[in-house]
Amino acid sequence: MKYEACIGLETHVMQKTQTKMFCGCKHEYGAKPNTNVCPVCLGYPGALPVMNARAIELCCKAGLLLGCGINPRSKWDRKNYFYPDMAKNYQITQADEPLCLGGQLTTEVAGETKTFTIERIHQEENAAKNTHISGASLVDYNRAGTALMEIVSNPCMHSSSDALAYMTALKQIMEYGGISDCDLEKGHMRSDVNVSVRPVGQKELGAKVEIKNMNSFGFIVEAIEYEIDRQIGVIENGGTIDQETRGYDTDRGETFSQRTKEDAHDYRYFPEPDLLPVEISAEQIEQWRSELPELPAQRRARYVSELGLPEYDAGVLTAEKAVSEFFDETCQKTKQYKLVSNYLMGKVASLVTEKEISIADSELTAETLAQVAELVAGGTISSSAANELIEVLFTEGGDPKAIVEEKGMAQVSDDSALEIWADEAIAGNPKAVEAYKAGNAASINALMGCVMKASRGKANPPAVIALLKKKLGA
Amino acid sequence: MAEATHIDVSYVAHLARIHLTEEETALFQGQLNQVLEYVEQLKELDVTGVEPTAHAMSLVNVLRADEPAPGLDHDTVVDNFPAVRDGQVVVPKIIDQS
Ligand SMILES: [Zn+2]
C-alpha cells in the first residue's frame, strides 16, 4: 500500500518588541537572570496585565503579510497548567477568537510553486527559561511574559521538504516584515510539528503525533522523516498509531514517546477576566497594510523585471534581508546591477564566510562597492583586480580609486604598453601563430594567455585580442 | 454544556494540586452541585438576540505603549524565592520527558 504523510506546523515566533506582552518589563536577551521582572510577569496576586499595543500591531502585520483576515474582535483566554516556567499557573493566550484567521504562504519546493494554508495566528505570552542542574531546576523569569505569537498551519504539507520550504519562507517573511529577528539560536522561532500518515486516497487524517518545541530546521527535517517511516512501519506490521507527544533524540536520530498522564492536556481554558477584548477597525487594518514592507517574493520579482537580473541572482540576493538591503543601497549609486550582484554572490559572500564577519560589520560600504562596479564597467580594472580590491575594502575599507592607484591594479589597455608583451607572445609561440594563420581561431587564446601572464593579469583582455589580431594580420 | 454536567471534585482538585480529604471532597461536591443547579436555572432565561460576550464590561482596547517601565529590584525578587542559586529560583527537578 502507498501512504501519504500530512504535516502541520505550529510555529512560535518571538516578536520584536521592547517590552513584554502584558507588562513594561524589558524584553532583552542575555540580561542577568531575574532582572527584567515585575509583579505581573512573576504572577503575584492582584497584579493586572495590560496589552502591549506594538505586539498586537506586529501580530496583525504578520497576519497581513501571510494573507490572513484580521478578526474585528478577538479575546483572551487562560490556559491552565502547573509548571515552574509559568509563575501564575496559567498562560494568557487566545483560544477561540485569535487575532488572525486563515492565510497562506506560497513558496517553491524543488522548483515547484506550492501554496500552504495557515489556519490562524494567535497572540500569547512566553514562558520562563529553565535550566536543569543535578537534582533540581533553576528558573529565570526574564523571558516570562514576552510577546510570542503562534502561527498554526493546516496539515497541508506532505514531506520534510515541504516543511523546510515553509519554515524557510516563514522565517524570511518575519524578518523582512520586521516582526521578529528570527534568531534560531536565541529561540526566536520554535515549532511543534504534527505528523500523521494515511493510505493514499483516504480522506480522513491518520492519528497525529506531535513532536514538540524544536528550533533547528535540520532536526525538524530529520524528525519528520524518521516519524513518517516509523508510522508506516507500525501500520504495515498491523499496529495502530497512538495519538501522542513524542520527543526527538538528536543524538540517535529517533523520536521517542513522551508518556504523559492524560489529564496533562486538560488545560481548562476559560476567558481571561483581567483583559478586555481587542477590536480592530477596518481603517486600522488599512493603515497597517500601507506600512507593510516589500516581501522577498515581491523583491525578487522587482530584481528580475526592473533590474534585469536572472531569477537565480534574485533568489540568492533576497535570501537574507541584510544582503538584499545592501544590494538595493548599492544600486542607488550605480547602474551596474549585474556586476554588483556578481560581487555580492561571489567575492563578498565568500569573504563573509571566510572571515565570519557580516557585510554590515565589514568595512565595505554600498558606496565603495558601487565604485568597484563602475571601475570594472569603465575598463579601469579587470574582474580579477576587482576581487582583490573588494577584499581590501572588506577588511580595511578606504577609497577604491586610491587603492587601485597605490597597488597598481589598473588595467593596461594602451597598445604601446601591450605591444611588448604581444610581440614576446608571438615570438615565443610559433606553433600557435601558425595554427591561427591556418584558420584555427581558438589558438589565439594561447597567445592571449601569455600576454596575461606576462602582464600579471593587468592587461585588458579585449584590448589584447584586438592587438594580437592586428599583428597577425587578421 | 451537556445537560448532565457533573463536576468530578477529586479530578479537579488533582488538576489544581489541592489535597482534599474524603470529607472535604464530599462537602465540596455538594456545594459545587448547587452552583451547577443555579447555572441550570439561568438556562431558563430567554437570551434570543443577546450577543454572547466573554466580559461583563463594555470597554475594549485597553492598551499601553511599548515603552519600558521599571519592574522589581532583583534583590527584592530573590528574597521572595524559597531557594536561590545564581540569582535564579531553585525548584524541584522538572521531570524530564525521557
Ligand atoms: Zn513584568
Side-chain angles (χ1 to χ4, degrees):
Chain A
M1 194 180 286
K2 277 234 159 213
Y3 294 91
E4 173 187 58
C6 296
I7 302 157
L9 269 80
E10 294 170 13
T11 307
H12 290 92
V13 176
M14 271 178 89
Q15 289 139 286
K16 208 160 140 180
T17 52
Q18 282 200 71
T19 66
K20 296 188 182 182
M21 186 61 224
F22 298 112
C23 61
C25 291
K26 266 194 231 150
H27 167 202
E28 183 178 29
Y29 183 83
K32 192 178 154 216
N34 294 307
T35 48
N36 291 323
V37 288
C38 77
V40 173
C41 53
L42 287 171
Y44 286 2
L48 265 188
V50 187
M51 293 179 268
N52 181 336
R54 175 75 180 152
I56 304 279
E57 175 186 336
L58 288 176
C59 183
C60 292
K61 282 184 169 170
L64 292 173
L65 288 169
L66 293 169
C68 296
I70 306 300
N71 238 341
R73 183 182 173 96
S74 63
K75 70 172 232 295
W76 304 94
D77 297 277
R78 287 189 182 180
K79 178 180 178 177
N80 299 278
Y81 67 90
F82 284 88
Y83 208 71
D85 65 8
M86 194 52 87
K88 54 191 184 304
N89 295 334
Y90 59 84
Q91 179 192 30
I92 302 176
T93 180
Q94 300 189 293
D96 54 346
E97 292 177 40
L99 282 168
C100 313
L101 278 174
Q104 69 281 318
L105 189 159
T106 300
T107 187
E108 262 188 31
V109 188
E112 191 191 336
T113 302
K114 289 191 182 177
T115 295
F116 301 115
T117 54
I118 288 163
E119 186 195 314
R120 57 187 278 161
I121 308 177
H122 60 259
Q123 181 68 54
E124 56 188 35
E125 56 176 335
N126 213 341
K129 184 166 164 261
N130 306 311
T131 316
H132 305 295
I133 57 169
S134 143
S137 298
L138 306 178
V139 192
D140 168 12
Y141 289 97
N142 282 347
R143 199 181 67 189
T146 52
L148 186 72
M149 44 178 213
E150 184 172 335
I151 303 173
V152 183
S153 86
N154 286 309
C156 57
M157 292 165 240
H158 300 295
S159 66
S160 59
S161 0
D162 282 358
L164 180 62
Y166 170 86
M167 288 184 295
T168 308
L170 191 63
K171 178 170 182 282
Q172 258 193 5
I173 292 172
M174 293 301 118
E175 281 170 353
Y176 269 80
I179 311 294
S180 169
D181 288 330
C182 288
D183 189 331
L184 301 182
E185 306 265 298
K186 294 180 183 168
H188 287 173
M189 196 174 166
R190 286 171 285 161
S191 293
D192 299 339
V193 185
N194 298 314
V195 181
S196 65
V197 299
R198 64 183 172 193
V200 167
Q202 179 182 308
K203 264 200 109 176
E204 309 82 66
L205 292 170
K208 87 178 173 192
V209 163
E210 187 170 32
I211 311 159
K212 285 256 185 206
N213 207 17
M214 300 208 283
N215 70 350
S216 146
F217 287 10
F219 289 150
I220 293 176
V221 165
E222 285 175 27
I224 289 173
E225 285 168 3
Y226 177 85
E227 193 50 32
I228 293 173
D229 285 349
R230 185 191 71 86
Q231 293 187 16
I232 293 174
V234 169
I235 296 170
E236 300 237 289
N237 285 315
T240 49
I241 302 299
D242 292 328
Q243 175 147 345
E244 62 172 346
T245 300
R246 294 177 75 88
Y248 182 63
D249 183 329
T250 55
D251 292 331
R252 305 171 68 170
E254 296 175 356
T255 63
F256 59 91
S257 182
Q258 294 180 322
R259 295 247 173 246
T260 43
K261 285 196 196 110
E262 261 168 47
D263 63 27
H265 292 293
D266 190 344
Y267 292 125
R268 294 156 295 140
Y269 283 95
F270 66 86
E272 165 60 83
D274 286 345
L275 287 166
L276 292 156
V278 184
E279 281 190 3
I280 296 167
S281 67
E283 295 76 48
Q284 178 64 78
I285 294 170
E286 284 325 303
Q287 170 67 32
W288 284 338
R289 202 190 296 280
S290 72
E291 293 165 8
L292 295 178
E294 186 181 46
L295 281 186
Q298 298 163 328
R299 199 167 276 191
R300 281 196 293 277
R302 176 167 62 83
Y303 287 176
V304 173
S305 64
E306 289 177 29
L307 305 184
L309 292 188
E311 295 267 1
Y312 174 80
D313 292 41
V316 174
L317 292 171
T318 52
E320 262 181 72
K321 189 186 183 194
V323 173
S324 89
E325 278 175 355
F326 193 90
F327 175 74
D328 275 336
E329 210 187 320
T330 310
C331 292
Q332 299 288 314
K333 302 169 198 292
T334 174
K335 296 221 170 342
Q336 303 301 329
Y337 310 130
K338 179 58 182 148
L339 280 177
V340 174
S341 165
N342 290 349
Y343 297 141
L344 281 174
M345 296 193 303
K347 189 64 185 174
V348 176
S350 67
L351 286 167
V352 166
T353 319
E354 185 193 322
K355 315 257 180 208
E356 294 181 8
I357 298 171
S358 70
I359 300 185
D361 292 336
S362 79
E363 298 298 321
L364 186 71
T365 64
E367 179 63 45
T368 55
L369 186 62
Q371 284 187 35
V372 174
E374 290 292 329
L375 288 169
V376 172
T380 308
I381 58 170
S382 65
S383 306
S384 59
N387 283 335
E388 243 178 273
L389 178 56
I390 288 170
E391 177 147 8
V392 176
L393 293 168
F394 188 92
T395 50
E396 295 160 31
D399 174 38
K401 282 183 190 133
I403 297 167
V404 165
E405 204 149 300
E406 186 195 326
K407 305 218 174 213
M409 289 172 167
Q411 279 194 129
V412 182
S413 335
D414 193 36
D415 275 3
S416 59
L418 294 174
E419 197 130 29
I420 308 167
W421 293 322
D423 288 343
E424 267 176 27
I426 290 168
N429 295 280
K431 277 189 186 161
V433 173
E434 218 171 287
Y436 181 78
K437 285 186 172 163
N440 182 358
S443 47
I444 202 166
N445 291 335
L447 302 173
M448 159 98 171
C450 290
V451 175
M452 293 311 291
K453 202 173 163 192
S455 73
R456 276 185 274 158
K458 281 188 220 158
N460 178 1
V464 174
I465 295 273
L467 180 65
L468 285 171
K469 282 186 178 170
K470 197 170 90 187
K471 287 194 170 276
L472 295 172
Chain B
M1 289 281 159
E3 233 3 82
T5 306
H6 172 74
I7 295 180
D8 180 341
V9 171
S10 27
Y11 174 66
V12 173
H14 167 69
L15 286 179
R17 307 295 188 269
I18 300 170
H19 299 285
L20 299 180
T21 62
E22 261 176 53
E23 293 76 36
E24 285 167 331
T25 307
L27 175 70
F28 294 137
Q29 188 73 64
Q31 292 179 351
L32 286 167
N33 285 346
Q34 280 177 10
V35 172
L36 283 185
E37 275 165 33
Y38 175 65
V39 174
E40 285 301 313
Q41 275 181 44
L42 286 177
K43 282 187 181 168
E44 290 164 19
L45 269 175
D46 181 8
V47 290
T48 333
V50 177
E51 286 274 313
T53 178
H55 222 282
M57 273 196 274
S58 57
L59 278 173
V60 294
N61 298 352
V62 178
L63 299 158
R64 63 180 177 83
D66 184 25
E67 283 157 12
L72 287 173
D73 170 64
H74 175 74
D75 294 334
T76 314
V77 172
V78 167
D79 279 347
N80 268 330
F81 291 160
V84 186
R85 180 160 159 180
D86 304 331
Q88 302 189 60
V89 62
V90 182
V91 297
K93 180 109 182 153
I94 296 165
I95 316 267
D96 215 43
Q97 295 89 348
S98 44

